[in-house]
Amino acid sequence: MLAPVTGTAVGLEAVPDPVFSEGLVGPGLAVEPDRTPGRAVSPIAGEIVKLLPHAFVVVGDDGRGVLVHLGVDTVQLGGEGFEPLAARGDRVAAGRPVVAWDPAAIAAGGRSPVCAVVALDAEAEAVTALAAGAVRAGDDLFRWA
Amino acid sequence: MAERRVTVESETGLHARPAATFVRVAAGAAPDITVAKGDGEPVNAKSILAVLALDVRRGDTVVIRAEGDGAEEVLDRLALIAAAP
């Protein structure tokens, strides 16, 4: 799983939304993004099966899916500040930009821009080799065994 | 097979929070449970990936079906979750 955005890797428990911090969606990792405009990239190669302005799901050829969720309560923005760079049904390479956004603008609006990356339908133990500290978009973020 | 048809009212559709709650309840129940968007292909309601990939938006109708012991009870719970604003 590649980091979708550049910033600092943090545990999902640091995401100020219990859906992610309590692992209700699944295990994974989060990235506190640098406060500069950037592009969120796909963590894996596969098909985009869901694309909202602030979140997307990519399914690999092995059938496993990963959710990238940009910011907390960002659904309330109604897509403002997010620009899709791909479409639902597109096949993407790992590292391919999917959404352009500006974490600083999200933070300025009083919301956390933290980016959660979740292994869907995975057991917690399946997620290993968690990155720590600074990561760049496209760097290894964690392994899904 | 028991069935419920529900209009999704959540702002995000059946996305992060409602989807996670829906799947958690479904996965904790004994019956086989499927969910479909309208008259589309039913998917496993116990899979968060399958439910997210359905791409259910606000105003969409979902059809939830279950078969087995406790089907009616779990369908009532799932229908409430899916219809919650």
Side-chain angles (χ1 to χ4, degrees), chain A residues 36-66:
Chain A
T36 52
R39 301 188 300 176
V41 307
S42 179
I44 58 171
E47 179 184 349
I48 299 175
V49 299
K50 180 160 196 167
L51 179 60
L52 299 173
H54 69 287
F56 57 92
V57 176
V58 183
V59 175
D61 289 337
D62 58 5
R64 297 194 295 187
V66 57

mmCIF file with all atom_site columns, all heavy atoms in Angstrom, chain A residues 36-66:
data_model
loop_
_atom_site.group_PDB
_atom_site.id
_atom_site.type_symbol
_atom_site.label_atom_id
_atom_site.label_alt_id
_atom_site.label_comp_id
_atom_site.label_asym_id
_atom_site.label_entity_id
_atom_site.label_seq_id
_atom_site.pdbx_PDB_ins_code
_atom_site.Cartn_x
_atom_site.Cartn_y
_atom_site.Cartn_z
_atom_site.occupancy
_atom_site.B_iso_or_equiv
_atom_site.pdbx_formal_charge
_atom_site.auth_seq_id
_atom_site.auth_comp_id
_atom_site.auth_asym_id
_atom_site.auth_atom_id
_atom_site.pdbx_PDB_model_num
ATOM 1   N N   . THR A 1 36 ? 0.040   21.802  1.956   1.00 0.00 ? 36 THR A N   1
ATOM 2   C CA  . THR A 1 36 ? 0.258   22.391  0.643   1.00 0.00 ? 36 THR A CA  1
ATOM 3   C C   . THR A 1 36 ? -0.661  21.675  -0.349  1.00 0.00 ? 36 THR A C   1
ATOM 4   O O   . THR A 1 36 ? -0.987  20.514  -0.153  1.00 0.00 ? 36 THR A O   1
ATOM 5   C CB  . THR A 1 36 ? 1.714   22.208  0.180   1.00 0.00 ? 36 THR A CB  1
ATOM 6   O OG1 . THR A 1 36 ? 2.049   20.822  0.290   1.00 0.00 ? 36 THR A OG1 1
ATOM 7   C CG2 . THR A 1 36 ? 2.678   23.019  1.027   1.00 0.00 ? 36 THR A CG2 1
ATOM 8   N N   . PRO A 1 37 ? -1.082  22.367  -1.416  1.00 0.00 ? 37 PRO A N   1
ATOM 9   C CA  . PRO A 1 37 ? -1.937  21.704  -2.399  1.00 0.00 ? 37 PRO A CA  1
ATOM 10  C C   . PRO A 1 37 ? -1.233  20.474  -2.962  1.00 0.00 ? 37 PRO A C   1
ATOM 11  O O   . PRO A 1 37 ? -0.017  20.485  -3.179  1.00 0.00 ? 37 PRO A O   1
ATOM 12  C CB  . PRO A 1 37 ? -2.130  22.773  -3.481  1.00 0.00 ? 37 PRO A CB  1
ATOM 13  C CG  . PRO A 1 37 ? -1.873  24.066  -2.796  1.00 0.00 ? 37 PRO A CG  1
ATOM 14  C CD  . PRO A 1 37 ? -0.824  23.779  -1.756  1.00 0.00 ? 37 PRO A CD  1
ATOM 15  N N   . GLY A 1 38 ? -1.978  19.415  -3.152  1.00 0.00 ? 38 GLY A N   1
ATOM 16  C CA  . GLY A 1 38 ? -1.363  18.188  -3.647  1.00 0.00 ? 38 GLY A CA  1
ATOM 17  C C   . GLY A 1 38 ? -2.377  17.311  -4.342  1.00 0.00 ? 38 GLY A C   1
ATOM 18  O O   . GLY A 1 38 ? -3.536  17.678  -4.530  1.00 0.00 ? 38 GLY A O   1
ATOM 19  N N   . ARG A 1 39 ? -1.895  16.148  -4.726  1.00 0.00 ? 39 ARG A N   1
ATOM 20  C CA  . ARG A 1 39 ? -2.753  15.188  -5.411  1.00 0.00 ? 39 ARG A CA  1
ATOM 21  C C   . ARG A 1 39 ? -2.685  13.874  -4.663  1.00 0.00 ? 39 ARG A C   1
ATOM 22  O O   . ARG A 1 39 ? -1.594  13.369  -4.383  1.00 0.00 ? 39 ARG A O   1
ATOM 23  C CB  . ARG A 1 39 ? -2.297  15.013  -6.858  1.00 0.00 ? 39 ARG A CB  1
ATOM 24  C CG  . ARG A 1 39 ? -2.331  16.334  -7.620  1.00 0.00 ? 39 ARG A CG  1
ATOM 25  C CD  . ARG A 1 39 ? -2.078  16.159  -9.094  1.00 0.00 ? 39 ARG A CD  1
ATOM 26  N NE  . ARG A 1 39 ? -0.772  15.566  -9.362  1.00 0.00 ? 39 ARG A NE  1
ATOM 27  C CZ  . ARG A 1 39 ? -0.345  15.242  -10.587 1.00 0.00 ? 39 ARG A CZ  1
ATOM 28  N NH1 . ARG A 1 39 ? -1.132  15.439  -11.630 1.00 0.00 ? 39 ARG A NH1 1
ATOM 29  N NH2 . ARG A 1 39 ? 0.845   14.719  -10.751 1.00 0.00 ? 39 ARG A NH2 1
ATOM 30  N N   . ALA A 1 40 ? -3.834  13.334  -4.302  1.00 0.00 ? 40 ALA A N   1
ATOM 31  C CA  . ALA A 1 40 ? -3.888  12.044  -3.620  1.00 0.00 ? 40 ALA A CA  1
ATOM 32  C C   . ALA A 1 40 ? -3.801  10.941  -4.672  1.00 0.00 ? 40 ALA A C   1
ATOM 33  O O   . ALA A 1 40 ? -4.563  10.942  -5.646  1.00 0.00 ? 40 ALA A O   1
ATOM 34  C CB  . ALA A 1 40 ? -5.188  11.923  -2.834  1.00 0.00 ? 40 ALA A CB  1
ATOM 35  N N   . VAL A 1 41 ? -2.861  10.018  -4.467  1.00 0.00 ? 41 VAL A N   1
ATOM 36  C CA  . VAL A 1 41 ? -2.618  8.975   -5.465  1.00 0.00 ? 41 VAL A CA  1
ATOM 37  C C   . VAL A 1 41 ? -3.202  7.638   -4.995  1.00 0.00 ? 41 VAL A C   1
ATOM 38  O O   . VAL A 1 41 ? -3.470  7.430   -3.805  1.00 0.00 ? 41 VAL A O   1
ATOM 39  C CB  . VAL A 1 41 ? -1.108  8.817   -5.758  1.00 0.00 ? 41 VAL A CB  1
ATOM 40  C CG1 . VAL A 1 41 ? -0.492  10.168  -6.122  1.00 0.00 ? 41 VAL A CG1 1
ATOM 41  C CG2 . VAL A 1 41 ? -0.365  8.197   -4.574  1.00 0.00 ? 41 VAL A CG2 1
ATOM 42  N N   . SER A 1 42 ? -3.376  6.729   -5.920  1.00 0.00 ? 42 SER A N   1
ATOM 43  C CA  . SER A 1 42 ? -3.903  5.406   -5.575  1.00 0.00 ? 42 SER A CA  1
ATOM 44  C C   . SER A 1 42 ? -2.833  4.589   -4.846  1.00 0.00 ? 42 SER A C   1
ATOM 45  O O   . SER A 1 42 ? -1.701  4.508   -5.302  1.00 0.00 ? 42 SER A O   1
ATOM 46  C CB  . SER A 1 42 ? -4.340  4.660   -6.837  1.00 0.00 ? 42 SER A CB  1
ATOM 47  O OG  . SER A 1 42 ? -4.824  3.384   -6.471  1.00 0.00 ? 42 SER A OG  1
ATOM 48  N N   . PRO A 1 43 ? -3.211  3.942   -3.735  1.00 0.00 ? 43 PRO A N   1
ATOM 49  C CA  . PRO A 1 43 ? -2.238  3.119   -2.990  1.00 0.00 ? 43 PRO A CA  1
ATOM 50  C C   . PRO A 1 43 ? -1.888  1.819   -3.704  1.00 0.00 ? 43 PRO A C   1
ATOM 51  O O   . PRO A 1 43 ? -0.867  1.212   -3.405  1.00 0.00 ? 43 PRO A O   1
ATOM 52  C CB  . PRO A 1 43 ? -2.966  2.799   -1.676  1.00 0.00 ? 43 PRO A CB  1
ATOM 53  C CG  . PRO A 1 43 ? -4.140  3.702   -1.630  1.00 0.00 ? 43 PRO A CG  1
ATOM 54  C CD  . PRO A 1 43 ? -4.490  4.040   -3.051  1.00 0.00 ? 43 PRO A CD  1
ATOM 55  N N   . ILE A 1 44 ? -2.768  1.386   -4.631  1.00 0.00 ? 44 ILE A N   1
ATOM 56  C CA  . ILE A 1 44 ? -2.551  0.121   -5.325  1.00 0.00 ? 44 ILE A CA  1
ATOM 57  C C   . ILE A 1 44 ? -2.966  0.265   -6.791  1.00 0.00 ? 44 ILE A C   1
ATOM 58  O O   . ILE A 1 44 ? -3.663  1.208   -7.159  1.00 0.00 ? 44 ILE A O   1
ATOM 59  C CB  . ILE A 1 44 ? -3.381  -1.046  -4.705  1.00 0.00 ? 44 ILE A CB  1
ATOM 60  C CG1 . ILE A 1 44 ? -4.875  -0.703  -4.728  1.00 0.00 ? 44 ILE A CG1 1
ATOM 61  C CG2 . ILE A 1 44 ? -2.922  -1.367  -3.293  1.00 0.00 ? 44 ILE A CG2 1
ATOM 62  C CD1 . ILE A 1 44 ? -5.779  -1.876  -4.351  1.00 0.00 ? 44 ILE A CD1 1
ATOM 63  N N   . ALA A 1 45 ? -2.542  -0.701  -7.594  1.00 0.00 ? 45 ALA A N   1
ATOM 64  C CA  . ALA A 1 45 ? -3.058  -0.795  -8.956  1.00 0.00 ? 45 ALA A CA  1
ATOM 65  C C   . ALA A 1 45 ? -4.413  -1.477  -8.897  1.00 0.00 ? 45 ALA A C   1
ATOM 66  O O   . ALA A 1 45 ? -4.611  -2.418  -8.127  1.00 0.00 ? 45 ALA A O   1
ATOM 67  C CB  . ALA A 1 45 ? -2.096  -1.612  -9.823  1.00 0.00 ? 45 ALA A CB  1
ATOM 68  N N   . GLY A 1 46 ? -5.351  -1.011  -9.703  1.00 0.00 ? 46 GLY A N   1
ATOM 69  C CA  . GLY A 1 46 ? -6.658  -1.651  -9.698  1.00 0.00 ? 46 GLY A CA  1
ATOM 70  C C   . GLY A 1 46 ? -7.714  -0.774  -10.317 1.00 0.00 ? 46 GLY A C   1
ATOM 71  O O   . GLY A 1 46 ? -7.414  0.156   -11.071 1.00 0.00 ? 46 GLY A O   1
ATOM 72  N N   . GLU A 1 47 ? -8.971  -1.098  -9.980  1.00 0.00 ? 47 GLU A N   1
ATOM 73  C CA  . GLU A 1 47 ? -10.110 -0.369  -10.535 1.00 0.00 ? 47 GLU A CA  1
ATOM 74  C C   . GLU A 1 47 ? -10.733 0.526   -9.472  1.00 0.00 ? 47 GLU A C   1
ATOM 75  O O   . GLU A 1 47 ? -10.935 0.095   -8.325  1.00 0.00 ? 47 GLU A O   1
ATOM 76  C CB  . GLU A 1 47 ? -11.163 -1.377  -11.035 1.00 0.00 ? 47 GLU A CB  1
ATOM 77  C CG  . GLU A 1 47 ? -12.400 -0.687  -11.619 1.00 0.00 ? 47 GLU A CG  1
ATOM 78  C CD  . GLU A 1 47 ? -13.494 -1.666  -12.039 1.00 0.00 ? 47 GLU A CD  1
ATOM 79  O OE1 . GLU A 1 47 ? -13.217 -2.881  -12.077 1.00 0.00 ? 47 GLU A OE1 1
ATOM 80  O OE2 . GLU A 1 47 ? -14.619 -1.196  -12.296 1.00 0.00 ? 47 GLU A OE2 1
ATOM 81  N N   . ILE A 1 48 ? -11.042 1.748   -9.864  1.00 0.00 ? 48 ILE A N   1
ATOM 82  C CA  . ILE A 1 48 ? -11.749 2.652   -8.948  1.00 0.00 ? 48 ILE A CA  1
ATOM 83  C C   . ILE A 1 48 ? -13.213 2.228   -8.929  1.00 0.00 ? 48 ILE A C   1
ATOM 84  O O   . ILE A 1 48 ? -13.916 2.380   -9.928  1.00 0.00 ? 48 ILE A O   1
ATOM 85  C CB  . ILE A 1 48 ? -11.621 4.112   -9.401  1.00 0.00 ? 48 ILE A CB  1
ATOM 86  C CG1 . ILE A 1 48 ? -10.151 4.541   -9.421  1.00 0.00 ? 48 ILE A CG1 1
ATOM 87  C CG2 . ILE A 1 48 ? -12.437 5.028   -8.484  1.00 0.00 ? 48 ILE A CG2 1
ATOM 88  C CD1 . ILE A 1 48 ? -9.930  5.934   -9.967  1.00 0.00 ? 48 ILE A CD1 1
ATOM 89  N N   . VAL A 1 49 ? -13.671 1.675   -7.803  1.00 0.00 ? 49 VAL A N   1
ATOM 90  C CA  . VAL A 1 49 ? -15.057 1.212   -7.718  1.00 0.00 ? 49 VAL A CA  1
ATOM 91  C C   . VAL A 1 49 ? -15.942 2.237   -7.042  1.00 0.00 ? 49 VAL A C   1
ATOM 92  O O   . VAL A 1 49 ? -17.164 2.130   -7.090  1.00 0.00 ? 49 VAL A O   1
ATOM 93  C CB  . VAL A 1 49 ? -15.183 -0.153  -7.002  1.00 0.00 ? 49 VAL A CB  1
ATOM 94  C CG1 . VAL A 1 49 ? -14.408 -1.221  -7.754  1.00 0.00 ? 49 VAL A CG1 1
ATOM 95  C CG2 . VAL A 1 49 ? -14.739 -0.073  -5.555  1.00 0.00 ? 49 VAL A CG2 1
ATOM 96  N N   . LYS A 1 50 ? -15.328 3.225   -6.397  1.00 0.00 ? 50 LYS A N   1
ATOM 97  C CA  . LYS A 1 50 ? -16.111 4.300   -5.778  1.00 0.00 ? 50 LYS A CA  1
ATOM 98  C C   . LYS A 1 50 ? -15.270 5.548   -5.797  1.00 0.00 ? 50 LYS A C   1
ATOM 99  O O   . LYS A 1 50 ? -14.094 5.506   -5.466  1.00 0.00 ? 50 LYS A O   1
ATOM 100 C CB  . LYS A 1 50 ? -16.481 3.926   -4.344  1.00 0.00 ? 50 LYS A CB  1
ATOM 101 C CG  . LYS A 1 50 ? -17.293 5.005   -3.638  1.00 0.00 ? 50 LYS A CG  1
ATOM 102 C CD  . LYS A 1 50 ? -18.050 4.474   -2.447  1.00 0.00 ? 50 LYS A CD  1
ATOM 103 C CE  . LYS A 1 50 ? -19.120 5.460   -2.034  1.00 0.00 ? 50 LYS A CE  1
ATOM 104 N NZ  . LYS A 1 50 ? -20.069 4.877   -1.098  1.00 0.00 ? 50 LYS A NZ  1
ATOM 105 N N   . LEU A 1 51 ? -15.881 6.653   -6.207  1.00 0.00 ? 51 LEU A N   1
ATOM 106 C CA  . LEU A 1 51 ? -15.150 7.924   -6.209  1.00 0.00 ? 51 LEU A CA  1
ATOM 107 C C   . LEU A 1 51 ? -16.097 9.034   -5.794  1.00 0.00 ? 51 LEU A C   1
ATOM 108 O O   . LEU A 1 51 ? -16.987 9.426   -6.543  1.00 0.00 ? 51 LEU A O   1
ATOM 109 C CB  . LEU A 1 51 ? -14.572 8.202   -7.611  1.00 0.00 ? 51 LEU A CB  1
ATOM 110 C CG  . LEU A 1 51 ? -13.806 9.507   -7.776  1.00 0.00 ? 51 LEU A CG  1
ATOM 111 C CD1 . LEU A 1 51 ? -12.608 9.585   -6.838  1.00 0.00 ? 51 LEU A CD1 1
ATOM 112 C CD2 . LEU A 1 51 ? -13.334 9.665   -9.226  1.00 0.00 ? 51 LEU A CD2 1
ATOM 113 N N   . LEU A 1 52 ? -15.911 9.494   -4.566  1.00 0.00 ? 52 LEU A N   1
ATOM 114 C CA  . LEU A 1 52 ? -16.586 10.685  -4.087  1.00 0.00 ? 52 LEU A CA  1
ATOM 115 C C   . LEU A 1 52 ? -15.541 11.788  -4.142  1.00 0.00 ? 52 LEU A C   1
ATOM 116 O O   . LEU A 1 52 ? -14.353 11.504  -4.280  1.00 0.00 ? 52 LEU A O   1
ATOM 117 C CB  . LEU A 1 52 ? -17.068 10.490  -2.649  1.00 0.00 ? 52 LEU A CB  1
ATOM 118 C CG  . LEU A 1 52 ? -18.071 9.352   -2.414  1.00 0.00 ? 52 LEU A CG  1
ATOM 119 C CD1 . LEU A 1 52 ? -18.317 9.160   -0.923  1.00 0.00 ? 52 LEU A CD1 1
ATOM 120 C CD2 . LEU A 1 52 ? -19.375 9.645   -3.129  1.00 0.00 ? 52 LEU A CD2 1
ATOM 121 N N   . PRO A 1 53 ? -15.950 13.062  -4.025  1.00 0.00 ? 53 PRO A N   1
ATOM 122 C CA  . PRO A 1 53 ? -14.906 14.095  -4.035  1.00 0.00 ? 53 PRO A CA  1
ATOM 123 C C   . PRO A 1 53 ? -13.851 13.867  -2.953  1.00 0.00 ? 53 PRO A C   1
ATOM 124 O O   . PRO A 1 53 ? -12.661 14.072  -3.206  1.00 0.00 ? 53 PRO A O   1
ATOM 125 C CB  . PRO A 1 53 ? -15.703 15.382  -3.786  1.00 0.00 ? 53 PRO A CB  1
ATOM 126 C CG  . PRO A 1 53 ? -17.069 15.088  -4.306  1.00 0.00 ? 53 PRO A CG  1
ATOM 127 C CD  . PRO A 1 53 ? -17.298 13.630  -3.998  1.00 0.00 ? 53 PRO A CD  1
ATOM 128 N N   . HIS A 1 54 ? -14.281 13.415  -1.764  1.00 0.00 ? 54 HIS A N   1
ATOM 129 C CA  . HIS A 1 54 ? -13.374 13.363  -0.633  1.00 0.00 ? 54 HIS A CA  1
ATOM 130 C C   . HIS A 1 54 ? -12.935 11.941  -0.276  1.00 0.00 ? 54 HIS A C   1
ATOM 131 O O   . HIS A 1 54 ? -12.316 11.749  0.776   1.00 0.00 ? 54 HIS A O   1
ATOM 132 C CB  . HIS A 1 54 ? -14.044 13.991  0.588   1.00 0.00 ? 54 HIS A CB  1
ATOM 133 C CG  . HIS A 1 54 ? -15.190 13.156  1.098   1.00 0.00 ? 54 HIS A CG  1
ATOM 134 N ND1 . HIS A 1 54 ? -16.390 13.071  0.437   1.00 0.00 ? 54 HIS A ND1 1
ATOM 135 C CD2 . HIS A 1 54 ? -15.287 12.330  2.163   1.00 0.00 ? 54 HIS A CD2 1
ATOM 136 C CE1 . HIS A 1 54 ? -17.190 12.248  1.076   1.00 0.00 ? 54 HIS A CE1 1
ATOM 137 N NE2 . HIS A 1 54 ? -16.537 11.768  2.135   1.00 0.00 ? 54 HIS A NE2 1
ATOM 138 N N   . ALA A 1 55 ? -13.248 10.964  -1.093  1.00 0.00 ? 55 ALA A N   1
ATOM 139 C CA  . ALA A 1 55 ? -12.905 9.583   -0.750  1.00 0.00 ? 55 ALA A CA  1
ATOM 140 C C   . ALA A 1 55 ? -12.967 8.719   -2.001  1.00 0.00 ? 55 ALA A C   1
ATOM 141 O O   . ALA A 1 55 ? -13.733 9.016   -2.921  1.00 0.00 ? 55 ALA A O   1
ATOM 142 C CB  . ALA A 1 55 ? -13.874 9.036   0.301   1.00 0.00 ? 55 ALA A CB  1
ATOM 143 N N   . PHE A 1 56 ? -12.132 7.658   -2.006  1.00 0.00 ? 56 PHE A N   1
ATOM 144 C CA  . PHE A 1 56 ? -12.245 6.713   -3.113  1.00 0.00 ? 56 PHE A CA  1
ATOM 145 C C   . PHE A 1 56 ? -11.840 5.317   -2.665  1.00 0.00 ? 56 PHE A C   1
ATOM 146 O O   . PHE A 1 56 ? -11.145 5.153   -1.662  1.00 0.00 ? 56 PHE A O   1
ATOM 147 C CB  . PHE A 1 56 ? -11.447 7.163   -4.347  1.00 0.00 ? 56 PHE A CB  1
ATOM 148 C CG  . PHE A 1 56 ? -9.970  7.391   -4.122  1.00 0.00 ? 56 PHE A CG  1
ATOM 149 C CD1 . PHE A 1 56 ? -9.047  6.364   -4.324  1.00 0.00 ? 56 PHE A CD1 1
ATOM 150 C CD2 . PHE A 1 56 ? -9.491  8.635   -3.738  1.00 0.00 ? 56 PHE A CD2 1
ATOM 151 C CE1 . PHE A 1 56 ? -7.681  6.581   -4.150  1.00 0.00 ? 56 PHE A CE1 1
ATOM 152 C CE2 . PHE A 1 56 ? -8.130  8.862   -3.559  1.00 0.00 ? 56 PHE A CE2 1
ATOM 153 C CZ  . PHE A 1 56 ? -7.221  7.831   -3.760  1.00 0.00 ? 56 PHE A CZ  1
ATOM 154 N N   . VAL A 1 57 ? -12.346 4.330   -3.417  1.00 0.00 ? 57 VAL A N   1
ATOM 155 C CA  . VAL A 1 57 ? -12.042 2.926   -3.147  1.00 0.00 ? 57 VAL A CA  1
ATOM 156 C C   . VAL A 1 57 ? -11.454 2.327   -4.417  1.00 0.00 ? 57 VAL A C   1
ATOM 157 O O   . VAL A 1 57 ? -12.026 2.477   -5.505  1.00 0.00 ? 57 VAL A O   1
ATOM 158 C CB  . VAL A 1 57 ? -13.302 2.135   -2.741  1.00 0.00 ? 57 VAL A CB  1
ATOM 159 C CG1 . VAL A 1 57 ? -12.967 0.653   -2.560  1.00 0.00 ? 57 VAL A CG1 1
ATOM 160 C CG2 . VAL A 1 57 ? -13.923 2.703   -1.471  1.00 0.00 ? 57 VAL A CG2 1
ATOM 161 N N   . VAL A 1 58 ? -10.297 1.662   -4.269  1.00 0.00 ? 58 VAL A N   1
ATOM 162 C CA  . VAL A 1 58 ? -9.655  0.980   -5.390  1.00 0.00 ? 58 VAL A CA  1
ATOM 163 C C   . VAL A 1 58 ? -9.585  -0.507  -5.061  1.00 0.00 ? 58 VAL A C   1
ATOM 164 O O   . VAL A 1 58 ? -9.204  -0.882  -3.941  1.00 0.00 ? 58 VAL A O   1
ATOM 165 C CB  . VAL A 1 58 ? -8.234  1.528   -5.652  1.00 0.00 ? 58 VAL A CB  1
ATOM 166 C CG1 . VAL A 1 58 ? -7.616  0.845   -6.884  1.00 0.00 ? 58 VAL A CG1 1
ATOM 167 C CG2 . VAL A 1 58 ? -8.257  3.033   -5.850  1.00 0.00 ? 58 VAL A CG2 1
ATOM 168 N N   . VAL A 1 59 ? -9.966  -1.352  -6.025  1.00 0.00 ? 59 VAL A N   1
ATOM 169 C CA  . VAL A 1 59 ? -9.908  -2.803  -5.850  1.00 0.00 ? 59 VAL A CA  1
ATOM 170 C C   . VAL A 1 59 ? -8.845  -3.372  -6.781  1.00 0.00 ? 59 VAL A C   1
ATOM 171 O O   . VAL A 1 59 ? -8.871  -3.111  -7.996  1.00 0.00 ? 59 VAL A O   1
ATOM 172 C CB  . VAL A 1 59 ? -11.270 -3.454  -6.147  1.00 0.00 ? 59 VAL A CB  1
ATOM 173 C CG1 . VAL A 1 59 ? -11.167 -4.976  -6.077  1.00 0.00 ? 59 VAL A CG1 1
ATOM 174 C CG2 . VAL A 1 59 ? -12.309 -2.961  -5.157  1.00 0.00 ? 59 VAL A CG2 1
ATOM 175 N N   . GLY A 1 60 ? -7.921  -4.121  -6.216  1.00 0.00 ? 60 GLY A N   1
ATOM 176 C CA  . GLY A 1 60 ? -6.849  -4.735  -6.999  1.00 0.00 ? 60 GLY A CA  1
ATOM 177 C C   . GLY A 1 60 ? -7.318  -5.989  -7.703  1.00 0.00 ? 60 GLY A C   1
ATOM 178 O O   . GLY A 1 60 ? -8.435  -6.486  -7.478  1.00 0.00 ? 60 GLY A O   1
ATOM 179 N N   . ASP A 1 61 ? -6.466  -6.534  -8.556  1.00 0.00 ? 61 ASP A N   1
ATOM 180 C CA  . ASP A 1 61 ? -6.825  -7.735  -9.310  1.00 0.00 ? 61 ASP A CA  1
ATOM 181 C C   . ASP A 1 61 ? -7.045  -8.932  -8.387  1.00 0.00 ? 61 ASP A C   1
ATOM 182 O O   . ASP A 1 61 ? -7.703  -9.901  -8.768  1.00 0.00 ? 61 ASP A O   1
ATOM 183 C CB  . ASP A 1 61 ? -5.736  -8.063  -10.335 1.00 0.00 ? 61 ASP A CB  1
ATOM 184 C CG  . ASP A 1 61 ? -5.737  -7.053  -11.483 1.00 0.00 ? 61 ASP A CG  1
ATOM 185 O OD1 . ASP A 1 61 ? -6.789  -6.424  -11.713 1.00 0.00 ? 61 ASP A OD1 1
ATOM 186 O OD2 . ASP A 1 61 ? -4.690  -6.905  -12.130 1.00 0.00 ? 61 ASP A OD2 1
ATOM 187 N N   . ASP A 1 62 ? -6.501  -8.888  -7.184  1.00 0.00 ? 62 ASP A N   1
ATOM 188 C CA  . ASP A 1 62 ? -6.715  -9.974  -6.227  1.00 0.00 ? 62 ASP A CA  1
ATOM 189 C C   . ASP A 1 62 ? -8.041  -9.827  -5.479  1.00 0.00 ? 62 ASP A C   1
ATOM 190 O O   . ASP A 1 62 ? -8.356  -10.632 -4.606  1.00 0.00 ? 62 ASP A O   1
ATOM 191 C CB  . ASP A 1 62 ? -5.550  -10.040 -5.225  1.00 0.00 ? 62 ASP A CB  1
ATOM 192 C CG  . ASP A 1 62 ? -5.368  -8.742  -4.460  1.00 0.00 ? 62 ASP A CG  1
ATOM 193 O OD1 . ASP A 1 62 ? -6.189  -7.817  -4.634  1.00 0.00 ? 62 ASP A OD1 1
ATOM 194 O OD2 . ASP A 1 62 ? -4.402  -8.646  -3.679  1.00 0.00 ? 62 ASP A OD2 1
ATOM 195 N N   . GLY A 1 63 ? -8.817  -8.785  -5.809  1.00 0.00 ? 63 GLY A N   1
ATOM 196 C CA  . GLY A 1 63 ? -10.130 -8.605  -5.211  1.00 0.00 ? 63 GLY A CA  1
ATOM 197 C C   . GLY A 1 63 ? -10.124 -7.840  -3.905  1.00 0.00 ? 63 GLY A C   1
ATOM 198 O O   . GLY A 1 63 ? -11.177 -7.610  -3.321  1.00 0.00 ? 63 GLY A O   1
ATOM 199 N N   . ARG A 1 64 ? -8.929  -7.449  -3.468  1.00 0.00 ? 64 ARG A N   1
ATOM 200 C CA  . ARG A 1 64 ? -8.887  -6.707  -2.202  1.00 0.00 ? 64 ARG A CA  1
ATOM 201 C C   . ARG A 1 64 ? -9.026  -5.213  -2.463  1.00 0.00 ? 64 ARG A C   1
ATOM 202 O O   . ARG A 1 64 ? -8.474  -4.676  -3.416  1.00 0.00 ? 64 ARG A O   1
ATOM 203 C CB  . ARG A 1 64 ? -7.584  -7.012  -1.473  1.00 0.00 ? 64 ARG A CB  1
ATOM 204 C CG  . ARG A 1 64 ? -7.499  -8.484  -1.115  1.00 0.00 ? 64 ARG A CG  1
ATOM 205 C CD  . ARG A 1 64 ? -6.426  -8.760  -0.116  1.00 0.00 ? 64 ARG A CD  1
ATOM 206 N NE  . ARG A 1 64 ? -5.097  -8.478  -0.627  1.00 0.00 ? 64 ARG A NE  1
ATOM 207 C CZ  . ARG A 1 64 ? -3.990  -8.779  0.042   1.00 0.00 ? 64 ARG A CZ  1
ATOM 208 N NH1 . ARG A 1 64 ? -4.058  -9.347  1.223   1.00 0.00 ? 64 ARG A NH1 1
ATOM 209 N NH2 . ARG A 1 64 ? -2.819  -8.503  -0.472  1.00 0.00 ? 64 ARG A NH2 1
ATOM 210 N N   . GLY A 1 65 ? -9.766  -4.548  -1.552  1.00 0.00 ? 65 GLY A N   1
ATOM 211 C CA  . GLY A 1 65 ? -10.055 -3.137  -1.760  1.00 0.00 ? 65 GLY A CA  1
ATOM 212 C C   . GLY A 1 65 ? -9.484  -2.258  -0.663  1.00 0.00 ? 65 GLY A C   1
ATOM 213 O O   . GLY A 1 65 ? -9.393  -2.669  0.496   1.00 0.00 ? 65 GLY A O   1
ATOM 214 N N   . VAL A 1 66 ? -9.106  -1.044  -1.053  1.00 0.00 ? 66 VAL A N   1
ATOM 215 C CA  . VAL A 1 66 ? -8.582  -0.088  -0.086  1.00 0.00 ? 66 VAL A CA  1
ATOM 216 C C   . VAL A 1 66 ? -9.369  1.208   -0.215  1.00 0.00 ? 66 VAL A C   1
ATOM 217 O O   . VAL A 1 66 ? -9.712  1.633   -1.315  1.00 0.00 ? 66 VAL A O   1
ATOM 218 C CB  . VAL A 1 66 ? -7.060  0.132   -0.287  1.00 0.00 ? 66 VAL A CB  1
ATOM 219 C CG1 . VAL A 1 66 ? -6.758  0.599   -1.695  1.00 0.00 ? 66 VAL A CG1 1
ATOM 220 C CG2 . VAL A 1 66 ? -6.511  1.120   0.727   1.00 0.00 ? 66 VAL A CG2 1
#
